[in-house]
Amino acid sequence: MDNTDEYLLHFKGYNFERSLCDIDQLENLDDFEIRDDDVFIVTYPKSGTIWTQQILSLIYFEKHRKRTETMETLDRVPFLEYNIRKVNYLNRPSPRLFCTHLPYYLVPKGFKNKKVKIIYVYRNPKDVLISFYHFSNVVVRLEEAQDLESYMERFLDGKVVGSVWFDHIRGWYEHRHDFNILFMMYEEMKKDLRSSVYKISRFVEKDLNEDDIDAIVNQATFQNMKSDPRANYKAILKNEIGTRTDEGHFMRKGTIGDWKNHLTVKQNERFDRIFQRKMKGSTLKFIWDINEG
Ligand code: A3P
């Protein structure tokens, strides 16, 4: 551990959310015993984590699709590195579903057997910034954002949970051949949820019929998740994570291009310059606007 503050735990070059971490568990992550049929969602924060948790849980659990049982999605797809609702999360029957914000170089070494399935979801970083900015003012476990100008600097410097966005995405993308990984883009999921559900279900080798796909798409839309207490983590956010006000939630806007409502021309130009420099040479595609792509 080389640096700490009230909210962040800096460990092996990466910022974790301090209050949800157990240092011994982090020390032992490398040796975390994985099973070949484990499935992991990997994201930088605010890139569509709970959305993909919902989709994956719907793909795997008929009772979720048919709404015949009520179980928190986070119990079906718990975090690997954070201590929140980790009830029996190791001894679950296979295949186990997990999610994580870990950078590529901190995942358990078993990931490199190329059997574990990894779904990496990424989102254009201007919308990530705006989503994170709002979320920081919602959640008591995150350092409050004073104003967007200063928050943008904090985000670009990586003084946030998840560290530098550019490092996270470039790291995973450039090391993709070391893993069995599917890259999903938030904006493509938004534009064509049905195709995205197909893509994910093919990747995890789950044969679903049209009715199943209909049920998944229907329960994974923004509107339906927003009004579904299990999908939107309302109770978890309030009771276990802790919010600053009653207004705070995960399901904020769920759109593409909300950054245009927030960034000034100057801030946007600065962001663009940094993006060009940091992403130079990368072949990853991005969608910045709802009318694009
Ligand atoms: P906004 O704050 O821009 O609305 P994460 O789960 O990684 O924390 O990401 C949260 C972001 O994903 C929020 O973005 C949230 O609204 C969005 N999101 C969650 N479910 C969604 C859905 N079904 N469709 C579109 N966006 C969704």
Side-chain angles (χ1 to χ4, degrees):
M1 196 161 56
D2 42 29
N3 184 29
T4 57
D5 70 24
E6 195 185 337
Y7 296 93
L8 299 178
L9 174 68
H10 198 64
F11 178 80
K12 296 191 178 170
Y14 181 76
N15 288 326
F16 292 85
E17 191 176 297
R18 170 180 284 286
S19 63
L20 294 175
C21 279
D22 172 338
I23 196 83
D24 290 334
Q25 273 180 30
L26 295 186
E27 294 278 8
N28 292 320
L29 265 179
D30 202 31
D31 295 324
F32 180 84
E33 222 169 284
I34 58 162
R35 301 181 192 154
D36 285 351
D37 52 6
D38 285 343
V39 182
F40 282 79
I41 297 166
V42 183
T43 56
Y44 184 88
K46 312 319 294 170
S47 302
T49 320
I50 76 167
W51 190 8
T52 318
Q53 284 173 305
Q54 168 81 344
I55 293 172
L56 211 55
S57 169
L58 286 163
I59 287 177
Y60 274 88
F61 296 98
E62 189 181 1
K63 287 181 173 168
H64 190 173
R65 281 199 298 280
K66 301 233 157 92
R67 301 174 195 255
T68 51
E69 76 173 5
T70 52
M71 186 168 166
E72 294 287 355
T73 312
L74 197 53
D75 290 336
R76 290 196 161 111
V77 198
F79 263 96
L80 175 64
E81 70 274 31
Y82 289 125
N83 290 323
I84 179 153
R85 299 188 68 87
K86 276 180 157 172
V87 188
N88 197 25
Y89 90 122
L90 287 178
N91 300 322
R92 290 174 291 156
S94 289
R96 297 177 306 183
L97 312 177
F98 293 96
C99 72
T100 178
H101 292 322
L102 287 174
Y104 80 96
Y105 65 91
L106 285 184
V107 293
K109 58 176 176 286
F111 270 48
K112 293 217 172 165
N113 70 7
K114 296 204 186 179
K115 293 207 170 87
V116 172
K117 295 182 175 69
I118 304 168
I119 302 162
Y120 186 97
V121 184
Y122 73 100
R123 183 182 192 185
N124 89 61
K126 291 181 192 171
D127 281 333
V128 172
L129 162 70
I130 300 304
S131 182
F132 221 165
Y133 168 66
H134 288 288
F135 200 61
S136 299
N137 288 331
V138 162
V139 171
V140 292
R141 292 172 193 265
L142 296 175
E143 186 179 353
E144 226 169 339
Q146 301 303 327
D147 53 72
L148 184 54
E149 179 81 16
S150 57
Y151 189 77
M152 181 166 131
E153 291 314 305
R154 206 202 291 170
F155 176 80
L156 291 169
D157 282 349
K159 292 182 180 147
V160 291
V161 173
S163 293
V164 179
W165 177 89
F166 301 97
D167 294 345
H168 201 277
I169 185 116
R170 286 203 77 138
W172 273 104
Y173 192 63
E174 280 157 27
H175 291 83
R176 64 192 180 281
H177 303 302
D178 298 339
F179 304 104
N180 178 12
I181 190 165
L182 171 73
F183 279 82
M184 296 293 300
M185 194 203 284
Y186 173 101
E187 291 78 8
E188 280 179 355
M189 289 165 61
K190 182 77 193 174
K191 281 169 175 280
D192 190 347
L193 183 54
R194 198 177 182 84
S195 301
S196 301
V197 169
Y198 267 120
K199 213 166 165 180
I200 295 173
S201 58
R202 266 198 309 273
F203 178 69
V204 298
E205 299 169 80
K206 278 284 194 182
D207 228 356
L208 298 166
N209 62 36
E210 286 302 306
D211 288 347
D212 292 336
I213 299 282
D214 285 343
I216 297 167
V217 171
N218 181 38
Q219 291 180 63
T221 61
F222 181 80
Q223 281 316 326
N224 287 347
M225 279 182 65
K226 195 176 166 79
S227 57
D228 175 349
R230 277 168 303 146
N232 62 32
Y233 295 178
K234 201 170 179 174
I236 293 175
L237 200 53
K238 189 161 183 266
N239 305 325
E240 286 162 72
I241 298 179
T243 51
R244 294 187 208 277
T245 69
D246 284 345
E247 298 301 302
H249 35 67
F250 270 93
M251 311 296 297
R252 192 184 59 92
K253 274 196 175 172
T255 56
I256 306 172
D258 189 38
W259 59 270
K260 293 183 181 176
N261 300 317
H262 291 84
L263 294 184
T264 62
V265 171
K266 200 165 158 233
Q267 286 165 342
N268 186 38
E269 284 173 357
R270 172 161 157 69
F271 201 109
D272 280 341
R273 275 197 305 278
I274 293 171
F275 182 87
Q276 298 305 338
R277 181 159 50 81
K278 297 260 199 177
M279 295 304 285
K280 200 164 180 213
S282 173
T283 50
L284 266 173
K285 300 268 173 294
F286 289 90
I287 293 180
W288 305 92
D289 185 290
I290 191 85
N291 299 312
E292 191 189 319

